[in-house]
Amino acid sequence: MLKKINKLNFLALYISLVNLILYHFPFYKFVCENAELSSINGIVLLSSITILLIILNALVFYIGLFILRKVGKWILVLFFFINAIALYFINTYGVIIDKTMIGNILNTNFEESSSFLSIKMVIYLVFLGILPSVLLLKTPIPEVKFKKFMVTIGLTLLFVLSLAFANSSNWLWIDKNSKTLGALVMPWSYVVNTSRFYYHKSQKNEKQIPLPASKVANQEKSIFVLVIGESARSQNFSLYGYPKNTNPLLSKIENVKSYKAESCATYTTAGVKCILEYKNTGKLFEILPNYLFKNKDIDVIWRTTNWGEPTVRIKNFQDRKALKKLVNDDSYNYDEILLKGLKEQILASKKNKILVVLHTSTSHGPTYFKKYPPKFNKFLPVCTSVELANCTQNELINAYDNTILYTDYILATLIGDLKQLPEYNSTMLFLSDHGESLGEKNLYMHGLPVSIAPKEQLDIPFIVWVSKGTDQLKNNGILSQHHVFHSVLDFLDVESPIYDQNMSIYKAKK
């Protein structure tokens, strides 16, 4: 059929129609749920948006095919494939393809991205990626004279402007919902937001901005262990009133206090940055481990099974590959590997002040059931599919709750190890980079813009243990991730011009 199209403008229009029909169901679902389509104005809005989508996409495709010819055709093929993948994630996990999500995608490693592979994704790629691409590649590109090309562009732009002004009564609604609408238009949602992501990234400092020098006030032996959780939401911790006993060990340990807290982001890169920076400036200042590593009186240890943090420039940095060398069993598959040899590493330190950062990956989906050893498979049945909507919510929550149960074990084990170092004044602080959606409002995992993100993606645990008792801790209200930086400085007795005692969770020392 496409071979019979002998005019470039008709071919571009046809491709635009295919693009609209195949990849814009979520877009129209949103419009239908948020516009008053029972009114004349609502019908005009829906009709106008449809016409604009078809005409504007056709115009861009027309220009691209005229200028780039065969290269333009291959770019459209690439669009079809990415459209198919984007549509899979939107339909399956309820994601929004905005600048934030693009940053999340670009900071995802192979291990995480491969966990999303499924039969359903393959079906999307075959029917929405490969088949339309094959049809397009077999279609010749008609020739068009430059004069006619320019006339077509001019008349199309005139029509678009006329339609836009005729629909001025709906501009306010479009402006109000522009962020979500723009995130659902294919292929421009990811094209524009990828450009925005790299533009903003280029505006940031390539090197972390140095912070003023610090000094240690005394030589009391102190250890601060900061545990950065992954996708842990506070409402599934029994310490926060959850009816299922997901914290059987922490609930029995003395000197443990849990605060209410909110994350400043819904994806790892931004969440970890908030945890490690001294305040929210929008700039990349020296992060906590790099800042303290410059102090000759402080030893800094970083262990991670995760990724996405700002560049860590310290001597004692161990990722999963390095940690694997410490074990000879299958524990390297799970986050308890972060504790292997840690006590010995602390004892080997020649400094009295020690900061340990453990960056976990325990509760990251969609394969929650793979994030903990079999013996922690307590809450049954569990979801074993990466297509989370195919599981019952009970199965999904059970699998997730088992990751929290495992987190409880890791934290309790860590506290037990710190108790075996009585010569140190010790504390452990656990908080998450962000929360997680588990099917509420048909949303899954995380990554929605903070402005529209549900509380499940923002409410995080903030759990503290102190060796000398919780009377050292303030009774704060809802904390932020930025409390961490100043709390660390306070506990390790680090004097710095940027230290803010009001942002510390510890009471002022007498």
Side-chain angles (χ1 to χ4, degrees):
M1 180 179 176
L2 289 180
K3 290 183 179 180
K4 296 179 181 180
I5 299 178
N6 55 12
K7 292 186 177 181
L8 185 60
N9 54 348
F10 287 170
L11 176 61
L13 192 62
Y14 191 91
I15 295 172
S16 181
L17 281 168
V18 170
N19 181 71
L20 182 79
I21 294 169
L22 293 183
Y23 309 115
H24 285 82
F25 173 76
F27 177 89
Y28 280 101
K29 181 181 179 184
F30 176 82
V31 173
C32 291
E33 290 175 350
N34 292 274
E36 296 181 6
L37 298 183
S38 58
S39 65
I40 298 296
N41 192 56
I43 295 173
V44 171
L45 171 66
L46 183 63
S47 303
S48 300
I49 287 177
T50 300
I51 295 170
L52 284 172
L53 276 176
I54 295 172
I55 298 300
L56 286 175
N57 275 332
L59 178 62
V60 176
F61 299 157
Y62 178 71
I63 295 172
L65 290 172
F66 176 82
I67 296 174
L68 301 174
R69 307 296 294 177
K70 290 185 177 180
V71 174
K73 188 188 291 188
W74 279 103
I75 292 175
L76 288 174
V77 167
L78 180 62
F79 282 165
F80 286 164
F81 273 87
I82 301 177
N83 285 353
I85 295 173
L87 192 64
Y88 167 78
F89 279 94
I90 291 171
N91 287 339
T92 305
Y93 299 107
V95 302
I96 296 292
I97 310 295
D98 66 344
K99 181 169 67 73
T100 297
M101 181 55 65
I102 292 297
N104 203 14
I105 292 168
L106 294 174
N107 284 289
T108 297
N109 65 8
F110 176 77
E111 179 185 348
E112 182 180 339
S113 59
S114 62
S115 67
F116 289 98
L117 293 176
S118 67
I119 298 297
K120 185 178 177 181
M121 181 186 285
V122 173
I123 292 173
Y124 269 71
L125 283 171
V126 170
F127 288 97
L128 299 179
I130 295 176
L131 291 183
S133 296
V134 170
L135 191 61
L136 177 60
L137 290 173
K138 289 183 177 180
T139 305
I141 302 175
E143 296 287 343
V144 62
K145 293 183 178 180
F146 182 74
K147 183 178 179 180
K148 187 174 182 180
F149 170 73
M150 294 303 296
V151 170
T152 301
I153 292 176
L155 291 174
T156 304
L157 289 174
L158 182 62
F159 173 79
V160 168
L161 289 172
S162 300
L163 182 60
F165 278 103
N167 200 46
S168 59
S169 61
N170 287 308
W171 286 2
L172 184 61
W173 185 89
I174 293 173
D175 179 66
K176 178 183 176 182
N177 297 283
S178 60
K179 193 166 187 176
T180 303
L181 292 171
L184 296 174
V185 174
M186 302 296 166
W188 314 118
S189 58
Y190 55 84
V191 171
V192 172
N193 283 304
T194 298
S195 301
R196 290 179 63 216
F197 172 80
Y198 279 110
Y199 172 76
H200 285 282
K201 187 175 182 180
S202 68
Q203 301 301 303
K204 292 182 178 180
N205 313 85
E206 291 186 5
K207 297 181 69 175
Q208 294 175 15
I209 302 172
L211 294 173
S214 65
K215 66 177 182 179
V216 172
N218 58 60
Q219 290 302 314
E220 179 187 11
K221 295 173 80 69
S222 305
I223 302 173
F224 195 113
V225 182
L226 170 62
V227 184
I228 302 176
E230 170 63 62
S231 305
R233 67 186 202 182
S234 56
Q235 71 185 73
N236 286 63
F237 282 69
S238 52
L239 288 178
Y240 288 87
Y242 189 52
K244 290 160 71 173
N245 191 12
T246 53
N247 300 127
L249 300 178
L250 285 176
S251 61
K252 296 177 181 177
I253 297 177
E254 293 183 352
N255 303 329
V256 170
K257 185 177 180 68
S258 54
Y259 293 94
K260 291 183 179 180
E262 293 180 351
S263 62
C264 68
T266 61
Y267 62 105
T268 299
T269 306
V272 175
K273 178 177 178 290
C274 285
I275 292 170
L276 300 178
E277 64 185 0
Y278 84 101
K279 69 177 181 178
N280 184 18
T281 64
K283 298 181 180 180
L284 183 58
F285 282 93
E286 266 184 319
I287 58 172
L288 179 63
N290 297 349
Y291 180 52
L292 295 186
F293 178 68
K294 294 193 307 182
N295 191 311
K296 61 181 179 63
D297 294 319
I298 303 174
D299 208 352
V300 181
I301 298 169
W302 184 290
R303 291 179 161 209
T304 179
T305 58
N306 210 328
W307 49 86
E309 61 271 344
T311 303
V312 179
R313 297 187 180 93
I314 65 172
K315 181 180 178 181
N316 294 322
F317 181 93
Q318 294 171 291
D319 57 14
R320 187 187 292 272
K321 184 178 179 180
L323 292 170
K324 281 183 180 180
K325 299 176 182 178
L326 302 176
V327 298
N328 54 10
D329 53 35
D330 66 350
S331 63
Y332 67 81
N333 291 316
Y334 307 105
D335 276 347
E336 60 192 274
I337 192 177
L338 293 167
L339 306 182
K340 299 294 183 180
L342 178 61
K343 186 171 63 174
E344 291 73 18
Q345 192 172 7
I346 291 172
L347 290 171
S349 175
K350 297 180 180 179
K351 299 178 182 179
N352 291 328
K353 306 291 184 179
I354 303 173
L355 168 65
V356 179
V357 182
L358 306 179
H359 189 191
T360 73
S361 61
T362 308
S363 296
H364 198 293
T367 53
Y368 303 111
F369 68 101
K370 291 184 178 180
K371 293 293 186 175
Y372 52 85
K375 65 180 180 179
F376 290 92
N377 213 28
K378 174 182 178 181
F379 304 109
L380 299 170
V382 300
C383 174
T384 58
S385 172
V386 299
E387 298 171 23
L388 303 182
N390 290 344
C391 299
T392 66
Q393 191 173 36
N394 182 56
E395 291 171 337
L396 179 57
I397 291 175
N398 281 342
Y400 182 82
D401 285 345
N402 287 332
T403 71
I404 305 302
L405 185 68
Y406 184 49
T407 298
D408 178 76
Y409 165 77
I410 292 172
L411 297 180
T413 302
L414 171 61
I415 292 171
D417 289 343
L418 292 175
K419 285 181 177 179
Q420 295 177 31
L421 303 171
E423 66 273 28
Y424 286 92
N425 179 25
S426 304
T427 191
M428 183 278 302
L429 192 163
F430 169 79
L431 79 167
S432 186
D433 53 358
H434 51 76
E436 190 86 334
S437 286
L438 298 173
E440 299 87 3
K441 300 176 183 177
N442 291 319
L443 296 174
Y444 297 91
M445 299 184 62
H446 53 269
L448 283 178
V450 171
S451 59
I452 62 172
K455 64 182 183 64
E456 290 84 6
Q457 295 189 27
L458 295 171
D459 290 350
I460 57 172
F462 196 111
I463 300 169
V464 186
W465 170 82
V466 280
S467 60
K468 292 185 177 180
T470 55
D471 56 350
Q472 292 180 268
L473 299 171
K474 298 177 183 176
N475 293 315
N476 295 71
I478 298 177
L479 301 182
S480 74
Q481 291 168 322
H482 290 106
H483 280 79
V484 172
F485 190 104
H486 303 277
S487 298
V488 172
L489 265 58
D490 190 354
F491 190 85
L492 295 179
D493 299 300
V494 177
E495 297 178 349
S496 170
I498 60 170
Y499 167 66
D500 183 353
Q501 209 280 326
N502 292 324
M503 291 295 289
S504 173
I505 62 172
Y506 300 96
K507 294 177 181 177
K509 295 180 174 65
K510 297 179 182 180

